[in-house]
Amino acid sequence: MRVYFAILLTSALCLGALKKRSLSATGVLAAAFVGLTTASNDNLLFTTVLLAFFISSSLWTKYQARQKMRLDPKFTTASQRDWKQVLCNGGIGSVISLVYQYYFDGRRPEDLSIAERRLMTVLIWAYIGFYACCTADTWASEIGTLSSDWPVLITTWKTVPPGTNGGISKLGLMSSFAGGATIGLAADIALWAQYFYAFRSGALPRIPYVTVGSLLGTLGSVIDSLLGATVQASFLVDKRAVSDLTAAELQKRKDIKVISGSKILSNNMVNVVSSACTTAAAVGLIALLM
């Protein structure tokens, strides 16, 4: 039954995203992989968290689209996520979901040993940490861009144009906190709805994941900004901040100025590294607490 549910839900989301142009054709294929590996999990947390990330990110991407287009002429194309962006924002989560299914598919928390319950908790923290980072970064980018105040570079605290990698603002940081909290809240609702008696009996620890998500989301966003300001180059082109320019584009125009960073990692790679670091931080934190 879960397989049919996973296929139905993934198909509906992919078709909806394709119709709304939130995903490209390759993005849909990658999203199908992420959706199937996640929605087939019998722990509702995994699907609920994925939906919270996907739906909220899609809504904020479309929010104030005209104003974003004035700030970034490539916004219409950028709002369509391709397979690289989808896997960068879902690949690690899919792996965690598959590992969880391997160990705990069809098993109740009450029937697990203490060591197995700890492993279950670690995987849950890792999953929340990953999507808290992805959601916080997306919310900060999509909402923070609309701030009336120009951002400051996280490494120098100097004012930089909107869209500069590593640029942070009060609105962006608050958005990161809210995005992570949304993931944590989604996890809390799913876990308590499915495992209410396990929490009551003490088989699962009562952890306020809304707090965990907000803290990990903010941490992930800060890590992403630090990477963006150092190992990802931002350029000033026609008074706008632009990144991920090709070597041919850099040689073609002589009026391009470097705002910050070095051309080492692409935006997709920065997302992968920051989300992986946040996932590792989540695992390390819960390991210390247990």
Side-chain angles (χ1 to χ4, degrees), residues 9 16 22 46 68 79 101 106 113 125 140 179 182 186 210 230 249 271 281:
L9 178 63
S22 298
F46 289 84
K68 293 175 184 176
S79 64
Q101 290 182 68
S113 66
W125 273 63
T182 298
V210 64
T230 54
E249 289 174 321
N271 290 338

Side-chain angles (χ1 to χ4, degrees), residues 19-289:
K19 183 178 180 180
K20 295 179 180 179
R21 298 183 180 180
S22 298
L23 297 173
S24 65
T26 59
V28 169
L29 294 177
F33 165 76
V34 174
L36 289 173
T37 56
T38 304
S40 58
N41 198 311
D42 67 349
N43 188 331
L44 295 178
L45 173 146
F46 289 84
T47 302
T48 304
V49 165
L50 176 62
L51 288 175
F53 164 70
F54 178 79
I55 295 174
S56 66
S57 297
S58 298
L59 290 175
W60 283 122
T61 297
K62 297 298 183 182
Y63 179 72
Q64 294 289 337
R66 292 184 179 180
Q67 184 173 345
K68 293 175 184 176
M69 200 176 298
R70 288 196 295 269
L71 296 171
D72 182 7
K74 296 182 179 180
F75 169 75
T76 302
T77 301
S79 64
Q80 278 195 322
R81 301 180 183 274
D82 59 17
W83 68 273
K84 294 179 181 179
Q85 292 171 302
V86 171
L87 291 183
C88 287
N89 289 283
I92 294 177
S94 293
V95 172
I96 296 172
S97 177
L98 289 173
V99 173
Y100 184 96
Q101 290 182 68
Y102 176 80
Y103 285 104
F104 304 113
D105 188 53
R107 303 178 67 186
R108 299 189 313 157
E110 296 89 337
D111 300 330
L112 302 177
S113 66
I114 295 177
E116 288 174 324
R117 291 176 188 174
R118 288 179 177 176
L119 177 58
M120 173 184 281
T121 303
V122 167
L123 291 174
I124 289 174
W125 273 63
Y127 191 78
I128 292 174
F130 173 76
Y131 273 110
C133 175
C134 295
T135 307
D137 178 53
T138 301
W139 283 37
S141 299
E142 299 298 341
I143 303 173
T145 304
L146 302 174
S147 176
S148 58
D149 299 322
W150 276 30
V152 295
L153 195 64
I154 193 171
T155 52
T156 64
W157 295 99
K158 293 182 179 179
T159 303
V160 290
T164 300
N165 297 310
I168 60 173
S169 64
K170 292 180 180 179
L171 180 60
L173 288 174
M174 289 189 294
S175 300
S176 297
F177 185 90
T182 298
I183 292 301
L185 179 61
D188 275 330
I189 293 173
L191 283 173
W192 277 93
Q194 184 173 5
Y195 298 119
F196 177 79
Y197 292 106
F199 283 113
R200 289 289 300 273
S201 66
L204 288 178
R206 299 186 182 185
I207 300 172
Y209 285 111
V210 64
T211 303
V212 174
S214 61
L215 295 177
L216 290 175
T218 305
L219 173 64
S221 185
V222 170
I223 294 174
D224 185 272
S225 296
L226 286 171
L227 291 171
T230 54
V231 295
Q232 184 182 9
S234 294
F235 306 95
L236 188 64
V237 181
D238 297 329
K239 298 181 179 181
R240 292 188 177 93
V242 180
S243 62
D244 290 346
L245 293 179
T246 63
E249 289 174 321
L250 291 174
Q251 293 178 354
K252 185 178 180 181
R253 299 187 57 167
K254 303 299 181 182
D255 59 336
I256 297 178
K257 295 181 179 180
V258 178
I259 301 175
S260 63
S262 301
K263 193 173 175 59
I264 299 175
L265 298 181
S266 66
N267 187 62
N268 288 332
M269 288 307 301
V270 167
N271 290 338
V272 170
V273 174
S274 61
S275 59
C277 288
T278 308
T279 303
V283 172
L285 180 59
I286 186 57
L288 290 174
L289 294 175

